[in-house]
DNA sequence: AAAATGTTGCTGTAT
DNA sequence: GCAACATTTT
């Protein structure tokens, strides 16, 4: 029974396979006839439950599970959907597939390598992209007099442009209008980046979607063979899809039934090009579709929803939304004021500990933060009190410096043209810095075989060469290569990271364990780049009774009995960095809305009223006033929460 | 001249 | 925790 699943603390009832616990609107959505459908659902109105029920219904009606694909926003929610459907349908549910858009496209690319022309490509992450742009900037910067973007800004501009399929001007403006004079240079450098990727056989995150989308549009044969595998495509969090993702979905319209579920008030990925026209213009773009609405909230009590309703009502945008609690009345939300970060964090940890002593489980609690670094104080307090937790958001295991170092030789073996990996690997060795590494890489990339390449390292570092040779000999399976790499590189890495080496080394057995699930280095690295697993998540013991510490962006769809929304302070909501545009401020409002709609029973909002980081850092005095003025809780009504000063 | 080491500042959300 | 910058060592 689903009860035993206890999937990340969700209510077990969601796995039950009959539709009797659905309300009328949910049942109509779940049991809709074939055809395209858009389901609009407010926070907590049972989106996930409806997707589960839809899958159950389709499979029960005789659709083979493998012809259904669920596109979710995170690996976590994808896995949960599959787990619940399998739990309720047993063997008939086996074969249901769910993943992120990126993992979906990568599957297509790997299953039809010739169709997409991406054989032996390596997937690169954002940091790798930044490295490439850095190298390109280094070569061109001296002649220009205009202000050029940083490498990181170039990645943003380039990626935004591709995700929204907009003009360079729009993409640059979105980053910073002050960069417009450099437009010509930016376009030129983006072209060089594109060529460089091609040479080195790299696929960045956007390529993964674009390669598949473009091919499906251009080639009818490929389109038919790929798209006709699926009868039903379900898309969760549809409000956060962007034009590139829509481009990818449209070829499926003639082969499969599209079932998209979303809430425009929860659109919080505008910075990644999310476009709620995908929701608002769905009917226009897909005329033969039906639209369904779910508007009864089953998650929270009315007092909690009142806060969220108030917040949206303050917006200039008309969301046409007032959440009504099916559960009725409950605890009044609390609004707690603290003098500083430390007091705030400490109080939350103490409060959770006290509740645990009274018999609550750790996993009844979720702490929501806007930014990863806000989490650090509370993390320290949780550790101090021995409270088990996982932190979701922030740096992923495969993004940490020491793991990237460890994997660099494996990346070289998987793709000898991988310049970034070569550079990283070479610089691990004593006596090799930026300049020598560049010289060696130059020589190495001219070679056609990995053996010649290793020869080309030359006498600069016999150790670097010997080590790479031994790792190459261990080659596959990847777990073995990882183990050999750990053995051979430990000394070097220890010297590099001396201070926190004892912490970092603990990650290596984890990496080896993750590698065991894969048969090739490429597949292993790719898997964890596309569906990254958090360092803290990976370190967890299996039991699962832990406090959830999570960024709001990662918390979409999650719920807990007791939620602490941290640092709802001036300068943080909206973030002082969002002050540039009204659209960005409204997106910030939705971020807070997502946070406030997570709790089932108790909402605890904490903040610091004294000038906090965001305000202090606003550039001018005028900016500081603007930040304080835009603060979302500026006119917060007394009767919506019990306010305390601690 | 390049590498190594030390210091300071700042940090947006993520596939 | 990390990147950019500054300083010391090889």
């Amino acid at each position: 029974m689903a009860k035993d699943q206890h999937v990340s603390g969700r209510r077990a009832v969601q796995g039950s396979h009959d539709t009797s616990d659905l309300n009328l609107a949910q049942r109509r959505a779940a049991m809709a006839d074939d055809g395209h459908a858009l389901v609009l659902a407010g926070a907590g109105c049972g989106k996930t439950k409806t997707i589960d029920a839809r899958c159950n219904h389709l499979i029960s009606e005789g659709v083979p599970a493998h012809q259904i694909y669920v596109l979710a926003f995170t690996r976590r929610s994808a896995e949960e959907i599959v787990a619940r459907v399998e739990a309720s349908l047993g063997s008939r549910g086996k074969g249901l597939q769910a993943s992120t858009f990126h993992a979906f496209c990568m599957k297509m690319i790997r299953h039809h390598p010739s169709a997409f022309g991406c054989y032996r490509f390596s997937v690169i992450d954002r940091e790798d992209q930044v490295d490439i742009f850095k190298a390109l900037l280094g070569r061109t910067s001296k002649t220009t007099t205009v202000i050029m973007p940083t490498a990181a800004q170039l990645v943003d501009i380039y990626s935004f442009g591709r995700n929204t399929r907009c003009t360079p001007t729009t993409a640059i403006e979105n980053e910073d209008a002050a960069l417009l004079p450099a437009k010509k240079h930016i376009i030129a450098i983006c072209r060089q980046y594109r060529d460089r990727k091609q040479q080195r056989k790299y696929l960045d995150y956007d390529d993964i979607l674009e390669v598949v989308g473009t091919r499906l549009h251009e080639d009818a044969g490929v389109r038919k063979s790929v798209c006709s595998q699926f009868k039903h495509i379900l898309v969760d969090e549809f409000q956060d899809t962007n034009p590139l993702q829509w481009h990818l979905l449209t070829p499926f319209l003639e082969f499969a039934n599209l079932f998209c579920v979303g809430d425009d008030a929860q659109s919080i990925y505008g910075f990644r090009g999310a476009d709620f026209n995908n929701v608002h213009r769905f009917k226009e773009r897909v005329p033969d579709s039906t639209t369904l609405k779910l508007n009864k909230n089953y998650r929270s009590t009315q007092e909690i929803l009142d806060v969220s309703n108030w917040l949206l009502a303050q917006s200039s945008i008309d969301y046409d939304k007032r959440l009504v609690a099916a559960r009725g009345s409950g605890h009044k939300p609390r609004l707690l004021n603290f003098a500083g970060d430390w007091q705030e964090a400490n109080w939350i940890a103490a409060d959770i500990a006290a509740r645990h002593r009274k018999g609550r489980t750790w996993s009844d609690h979720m702490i929501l933060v806007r930014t990863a670094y806000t989490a650090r104080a509370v993390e320290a307090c949780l550790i101090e009190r021995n409270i088990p937790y996982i932190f979701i958001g922030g740096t992923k295991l495969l993004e940490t410096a020491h793991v990237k170092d460890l994997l660099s030789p494996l990346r070289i073996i998987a793709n000898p043209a991988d310049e970034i990996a070569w550079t990283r690997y070479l610089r691990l060795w004593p006596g090799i810095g930026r300049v020598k590494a560049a010289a060696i890489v130059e020589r190495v990339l001219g070679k056609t075989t990995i053996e010649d390449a290793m020869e080309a390292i030359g006498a600069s570092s016999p150790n670097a060469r010997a080590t790479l040779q031994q790792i190459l000999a261990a080659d596959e399976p990847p777990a073995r290569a990882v183990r050999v790499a750990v053995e051979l590189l430990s000394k070097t890495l220890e010297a590099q990271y001396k201070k926190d080496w004892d912490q970092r080394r603990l990650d290596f057995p984890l990496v080896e364990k993750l590698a065991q699930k894969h048969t090739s280095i490429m597949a292993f690295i790719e898997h964890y780049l596309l569906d990254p697993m958090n360092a803290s998540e990976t370190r967890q013991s299996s039991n699962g009774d832990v406090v959830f510490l999570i960024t709001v962006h990662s918390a979409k769809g999650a719920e807990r009995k007791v939620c602490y929304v941290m640092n709802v302070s001036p300068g943080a909501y909206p973030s002082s960095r969002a002050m540039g545009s009204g659209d960005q401020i409204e997106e910030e409002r939705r971020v807070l809305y997502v946070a406030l709609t997570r709790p089932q029973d108790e909402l605890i909002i904490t903040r610091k009223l004294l000038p906090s980081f965001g305000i202090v850092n606003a550039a001018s005095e005028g900016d500081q006033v603007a930040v304080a003025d835009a603060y979302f809780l500026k006119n917060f009504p007394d009767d919506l929460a019990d306010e305390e000063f601690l």
Side-chain angles (χ1 to χ4, degrees):
Chain A
M1 229 345 243
K3 253 192 186 74
D4 302 321
Q5 282 289 309
H6 186 70
V7 184
S8 284
R10 275 165 193 279
R11 279 171 298 176
V13 67
Q14 292 190 343
S16 82
H17 71 277
D18 64 294
T19 50
S20 58
D21 60 329
L22 300 176
N23 69 24
L24 186 62
Q26 289 169 338
R27 193 172 316 136
R28 275 179 54 209
M31 303 178 70
D33 292 335
D34 280 6
H36 307 302
L38 173 65
V39 180
L40 297 170
C45 294
K47 279 193 289 282
T48 317
K49 186 173 168 181
T50 304
I51 288 183
D52 290 353
R54 177 76 179 158
C55 293
N56 285 345
H57 170 75
L58 292 171
I59 295 169
S60 302
E61 291 285 290
V63 179
H66 68 267
Q67 291 180 2
I68 304 172
Y69 205 106
V70 183
L71 291 166
F73 215 69
T74 61
R75 170 185 51 78
R76 172 185 311 281
S77 58
E79 281 173 2
E80 284 175 8
I81 291 164
V82 171
R84 282 192 300 265
V85 172
E86 285 184 356
S88 52
L89 293 182
S91 60
R92 272 192 308 156
K94 285 261 184 288
L96 174 71
Q97 299 180 82
S99 76
T100 60
F101 275 81
H102 288 83
F104 171 74
C105 288
M106 216 55 222
K107 249 185 237 181
M108 300 300 121
I109 290 173
R110 294 306 183 208
H111 280 161
H112 313 266
S114 56
F116 297 105
C118 295
Y119 182 68
R120 268 215 157 219
F121 272 64
S122 343
V123 175
I124 57 172
D125 67 10
R126 197 192 132 87
E127 199 191 318
D128 296 330
Q129 291 182 279
V130 171
D131 284 346
I132 298 174
F133 272 108
K134 247 185 221 159
L136 295 171
L137 267 177
R139 294 193 321 176
T140 53
S141 63
K142 29 186 170 280
T143 53
T144 59
T145 50
V146 292
I147 334 161
M148 280 295 283
T150 63
Q153 284 179 310
L154 283 165
V155 173
D156 288 343
I157 292 168
Y158 181 74
S159 178
F160 187 86
R162 301 182 68 200
N163 278 291
T164 61
R165 310 173 67 75
C166 69
T167 62
T169 308
T170 311
I172 296 166
E173 269 171 352
N174 179 264
E175 179 68 29
D176 183 355
L179 295 170
L180 276 173
K183 184 171 146 190
K184 257 211 228 128
H185 302 286
I186 295 173
I187 293 174
I189 207 164
C190 286
R191 269 209 198 105
Q192 291 170 34
Y193 168 81
R194 203 191 48 200
D195 296 343
R196 182 64 63 95
K197 269 190 311 188
Q198 190 64 36
Q199 283 163 16
R200 305 289 185 249
K201 291 181 165 269
Y202 289 141
L203 286 176
D204 64 29
Y205 286 130
D206 307 327
D207 291 325
I208 294 168
L209 301 192
E210 203 177 82
V211 158
V212 174
T214 303
R215 204 85 196 99
L216 294 181
H217 276 273
E218 283 172 356
D219 188 320
V222 173
R223 181 161 67 240
K224 183 151 197 272
S225 71
V226 171
C227 298
S228 62
Q229 297 173 58
F230 305 104
K231 278 260 158 46
H232 295 271
I233 307 255
L234 288 74
V235 186
D236 197 4
E237 309 289 3
F238 190 59
Q239 75 284 350
D240 281 320
T241 56
N242 60 39
L244 178 56
Q245 287 167 318
W246 179 245
H247 177 70
L248 174 72
L249 285 174
T250 47
F252 288 92
L253 283 168
E254 58 174 300
F255 298 94
N257 299 287
L258 215 55
F259 187 87
C260 304
V261 184
D263 174 9
D264 56 358
Q266 292 185 71
S267 174
I268 55 175
Y269 279 86
F271 66 91
R272 212 174 80 182
D275 177 13
F276 44 53
N277 278 327
N278 284 356
V279 170
H280 290 155
R281 301 178 60 185
F282 190 81
K283 183 75 196 168
E284 204 176 302
R285 292 171 177 176
V286 190
D288 57 339
S289 64
T290 47
T291 302
L292 296 153
K293 282 192 181 174
L294 310 179
N295 45 26
K296 200 160 233 168
N297 177 293
Y298 292 88
R299 175 182 298 148
S300 314
T301 60
Q302 190 60 48
E303 285 81 355
I304 292 167
L305 298 183
D306 285 342
V307 175
S308 314
N309 285 333
W310 173 82
L311 180 72
L312 281 199
Q314 305 303 299
S315 169
S316 51
I317 299 173
D318 178 15
Y319 290 100
D320 185 26
K321 199 152 286 170
R322 255 198 69 82
L323 295 173
V324 177
R327 294 176 54 197
S329 184
H331 290 279
K332 196 159 192 186
R334 296 169 74 187
L335 175 60
L336 308 182
N337 298 288
F338 292 92
D341 300 324
W342 197 249
Q343 289 92 325
E344 181 185 32
N346 204 32
W347 184 90
I348 291 173
D351 193 57
I352 293 174
R355 287 164 188 270
H356 188 259
R357 281 195 298 274
K358 286 186 197 149
R360 298 288 206 128
T361 64
W362 297 121
S363 62
D364 284 340
H365 308 87
M366 175 154 70
I367 305 168
L368 293 125
V369 293
R370 172 73 181 76
T371 63
Y373 72 81
T374 326
R376 295 182 61 183
V378 82
E379 220 178 337
C381 294
L382 292 171
I383 291 169
E384 199 188 337
R385 288 169 194 271
N386 274 320
I387 299 174
Y389 71 95
I390 54 172
F391 176 44
I392 299 182
T395 314
K396 312 296 189 296
L397 182 66
L398 261 58
E399 290 168 2
T400 57
H402 55 292
V403 175
K404 283 202 143 192
D405 290 341
L406 178 77
L407 294 180
S408 61
L410 309 204
R411 276 179 58 172
I412 293 171
I413 292 164
N415 174 5
D418 192 337
E419 177 184 13
I420 304 163
W422 273 110
T423 309
R424 180 151 210 138
Y425 174 71
L426 291 168
R427 291 198 56 179
L428 292 176
W429 300 94
I432 302 184
R434 195 170 35 81
V435 176
K436 248 184 214 160
I440 298 172
V441 167
E442 179 98 358
R443 271 183 277 142
V444 150
L445 290 177
K447 308 297 176 201
T448 44
T449 69
I450 180 103
E451 288 77 15
D452 289 349
M454 283 190 301
E455 278 307 310
I457 296 175
S460 320
S461 176
N463 277 339
R465 192 163 88 191
T467 301
L468 191 55
Q469 233 140 20
Q470 289 182 62
I471 297 170
L472 176 64
D475 196 0
E476 303 205 321
R480 189 158 70 120
V482 170
R483 200 176 54 242
V484 172
V486 171
E487 274 164 32
L488 298 173
L489 291 174
S490 276
K491 272 232 161 57
T492 316
L493 291 173
E494 183 173 3
Q496 203 112 136
Y497 293 104
K498 24 189 148 181
K499 253 200 335 227
D500 44 1
W501 167 246
D502 283 336
Q503 277 297 314
R504 292 178 186 256
R505 67 190 300 179
L506 298 176
D507 287 335
F508 294 156
L510 287 168
V511 175
E512 191 187 328
K513 212 170 117 199
L514 292 176
Q516 276 164 6
K517 296 182 194 154
H518 296 274
T519 51
S520 82
I521 291 169
M522 202 93 108
F524 160 56
I525 293 175
E526 197 172 287
H527 183 95
Y528 288 100
L529 282 187
L530 295 183
D531 283 330
M533 190 165 264
N534 290 92
S536 124
E537 182 177 1
T538 323
R539 287 182 201 116
Q540 268 316 301
S541 55
S542 54
N543 141 22
D545 182 22
V546 293
V547 172
F548 251 51
L549 175 59
I550 192 165
T551 61
V552 181
H553 281 83
S554 306
K556 279 192 318 175
E559 63 184 7
R560 286 295 183 277
K561 289 199 171 69
V562 182
C563 292
Y564 304 83
V565 184
M566 270 188 90
N567 192 35
V568 188
S569 312
Y573 290 94
S575 159
S576 53
R577 309 213 12 171
M579 293 303 294
S581 82
D583 284 355
Q584 281 187 46
I585 292 179
E586 284 311 312
E587 177 150 314
E588 292 287 306
R589 186 190 302 283
R590 294 189 294 268
V591 172
L592 182 54
Y593 177 77
V594 169
L596 296 176
T597 50
R598 297 309 98 197
Q600 295 167 325
D601 298 337
E602 291 184 60
L603 168 62
I604 299 164
I605 302 168
T606 68
R607 64 175 173 179
K608 279 90 53 178
L609 277 180
L610 291 172
S612 58
F613 187 77
I615 290 208
V616 175
N617 277 280
S620 70
E621 209 165 305
D623 288 349
Q624 292 178 22
V625 173
V627 167
D629 196 56
Y631 178 45
F632 292 138
L633 299 191
K634 197 178 64 166
N635 300 315
F636 190 70
D638 292 342
D639 57 328
L640 287 184
D642 290 326
E643 184 166 10
E644 295 162 55
F645 293 83
L646 296 162

